[in-house]
Amino acid sequence: MPVMRIFSKVAKQALLSTPGCGCQPLTVAVRNISFSPRQVTSDASFHSVSFSETDHPKVLITGGLGQLGVGLAKLLRKRYGKNNVILSDIRKPQNSVFHSGPFIYSDILDYKNLREIVVNNRITWLVHYSALLSAVGEANVALARSVNITGLHNILDIAAEHGLRLFVPSTIGAFGPTSPRNPTPDLCVQRPRTIYGVSKVHAELMGEYYHHRYGLDFRCLRYPGIISADSMPGGGTTDYAVQIFHDAIKTGKFECNLRPDTRLPMMYIDDCLRATLEVMEAPAETLSMRTYNINAMSFTPEELAQELQKQMPELEVTYEVDPVRQAIADSWPMNFDDSNARNDWAWKHDYDLPELVQTMLNFFGSETRMARFN
């Protein structure tokens, strides 16, 4: 259903049920039906805020079976209660995920199905992770266009209709070769050359348009490359930074598909998930913009390998450059300027490169590493 028809219907219902409000503009009527969870004060510590059983959000996560969706669900369930965070996807979840909390089938290309989920479960926050990543998207542009753009339109319309707080992640891929690369500010030229990047610029602009035009509480973070130990790479250009740990543990050898001097911004998943929660909880009045860069560290494959070799000197690293992925990486930022996020809602990362490597190795465990070399 087109969004303006939806808004007209909602406005008509509001006017009929509220005496004396016939002079209210449409945008006011839409905002009046929205739900706003209790928000923290701008100077409060993330760890000091708690939510009672009556004022927590009810969260739906689309594309929830990826590394970010599963991780964010775990964090949010600990904070708001297990039954208040619903994971959704079109794939069958693993038993551990299925039994960890509510899971529901949701196809973002099926507008009616998605709308029913929001209504029936009284959703107030929507986290939209469904997307095809950079390298996978280039291999199937038509599918990426459908999922990343058409699916987004469904999400925007439903979020606006029901007054949801909507989070849509963006990426370093939203920038292109004509963007400033070191550092890359929040606002600059964006001319990406991948369908993934184009779709994310589209998401940023459409979300901000819906915010200004309809009052949608849209929030967006441009993620750097995200590194996690408990999931396999998912088709992104920065996936080498995850694959190197898997290969180091299994074989003691790693072949990198980027040049050794390719510098890209990176972040450990715990920092990424915490940033997502913090920006969602931030009071609206503290946000000077709706799309922010966030950053933690910036390194090259060579620097990552050298840090890893400090603890695994037997690791052999070679380079076989994939021209497609290298071209993508060469068009992306080398470093993010995230000063606005740090100033507006006190963003601060915990993991630099040494902490990242140690954490990843700790996850795999010393016994696994010893078994490889004995």
Side-chain angles (χ1 to χ4, degrees), residues 26-330:
L26 176 60
T27 52
V28 174
V30 171
R31 285 170 182 157
N32 282 346
I33 67 171
S34 65
F35 173 89
S36 179
R38 188 183 70 187
Q39 296 174 316
V40 300
T41 59
S42 58
D43 60 347
S45 168
F46 161 74
H47 297 288
S48 69
V49 180
S50 62
F51 287 75
S52 74
E53 289 299 313
T54 59
D55 60 9
H56 48 57
K58 192 70 179 290
V59 186
L60 173 66
I61 303 175
T62 68
L65 294 185
Q67 61 173 345
L68 294 176
V70 172
L72 186 63
K74 183 178 180 180
L75 178 64
L76 295 182
R77 285 167 176 167
K78 182 178 180 181
R79 190 159 177 76
Y80 304 134
K82 181 175 72 171
N83 293 326
N84 292 304
V85 181
I86 301 174
L87 273 177
S88 70
D89 212 308
I90 60 173
R91 295 181 290 145
K92 180 180 178 181
Q94 296 180 349
N95 287 337
S96 59
V97 174
F98 183 78
H99 293 294
S100 65
F103 178 87
I104 194 167
Y105 171 87
S106 176
D107 181 355
I108 62 167
L109 298 179
D110 186 340
Y111 180 91
K112 181 180 178 181
N113 167 250
L114 189 62
R115 192 166 181 255
E116 287 176 348
I117 292 171
V118 168
V119 172
N120 291 342
N121 294 281
R122 300 174 58 84
I123 299 301
T124 56
W125 286 12
L126 202 164
V127 177
H128 180 52
Y129 275 140
S130 297
L132 265 66
L133 301 182
S134 55
V136 174
E138 290 306 287
N140 195 336
V141 172
L143 181 60
R145 185 177 64 236
S146 179
V147 172
N148 294 11
I149 296 179
T150 304
L152 170 78
H153 291 179
N154 289 340
I155 292 291
L156 286 169
D157 285 354
I158 289 169
E161 177 189 3
H162 296 286
L164 308 185
R165 180 170 298 183
L166 174 63
F167 177 82
V168 179
S170 189
T171 168
I172 56 174
F175 298 100
T178 56
S179 305
R181 297 189 66 208
N182 192 18
T184 303
D186 285 302
L187 300 176
C188 65
V189 173
Q190 291 178 260
R191 291 294 184 272
R193 292 183 177 176
T194 66
I195 185 61
Y196 177 57
V198 169
S199 69
K200 286 303 184 181
V201 173
H202 180 79
E204 293 177 15
L205 295 177
M206 287 297 293
E208 291 176 13
Y209 172 76
Y210 269 57
H211 170 68
H212 293 295
R213 180 67 176 84
Y214 304 121
L216 174 65
D217 191 353
F218 171 81
R219 304 179 183 211
C220 177
L221 297 177
R222 294 192 187 103
Y223 289 160
I226 305 302
I227 302 174
S228 170
D230 58 355
S231 62
M232 293 300 294
T237 301
T238 58
D239 279 352
Y240 84 86
V242 177
Q243 190 66 54
I244 188 173
F245 290 97
H246 288 278
D247 290 358
I249 298 301
K250 292 178 181 177
T251 68
K253 298 180 180 180
F254 174 65
E255 182 177 275
C256 183
N257 53 29
L258 296 180
R259 292 194 315 267
D261 62 347
T262 306
R263 183 171 300 279
L264 293 168
M266 299 284 188
M267 179 176 288
Y268 184 58
I269 190 169
D270 284 8
D271 276 341
C272 175
L273 298 176
R274 181 170 54 83
T276 302
L277 176 55
E278 288 179 357
V279 77
M280 285 296 279
E281 288 187 345
E285 62 270 17
T286 68
L287 304 179
S288 64
M289 55 186 62
R290 289 286 158 168
T291 301
Y292 289 90
N293 292 341
I294 54 168
N295 199 19
M297 63 194 95
S298 182
F299 56 74
T300 67
E302 184 175 43
E303 290 170 348
L304 175 58
Q306 290 173 349
E307 188 67 33
L308 185 53
Q309 286 168 336
K310 291 179 182 179
Q311 301 196 48
M312 300 183 69
E314 303 91 343
L315 174 63
E316 299 178 12
V317 179
T318 57
Y319 297 88
E320 183 65 34
V321 176
D322 176 352
V324 174
R325 291 181 188 244
Q326 187 64 54
I328 293 172
D330 288 342

Side-chain angles (χ1 to χ4, degrees), residues 10 23 90 94 169 374:
V10 172
C23 60
I90 60 173
Q94 296 180 349
N374 288 341

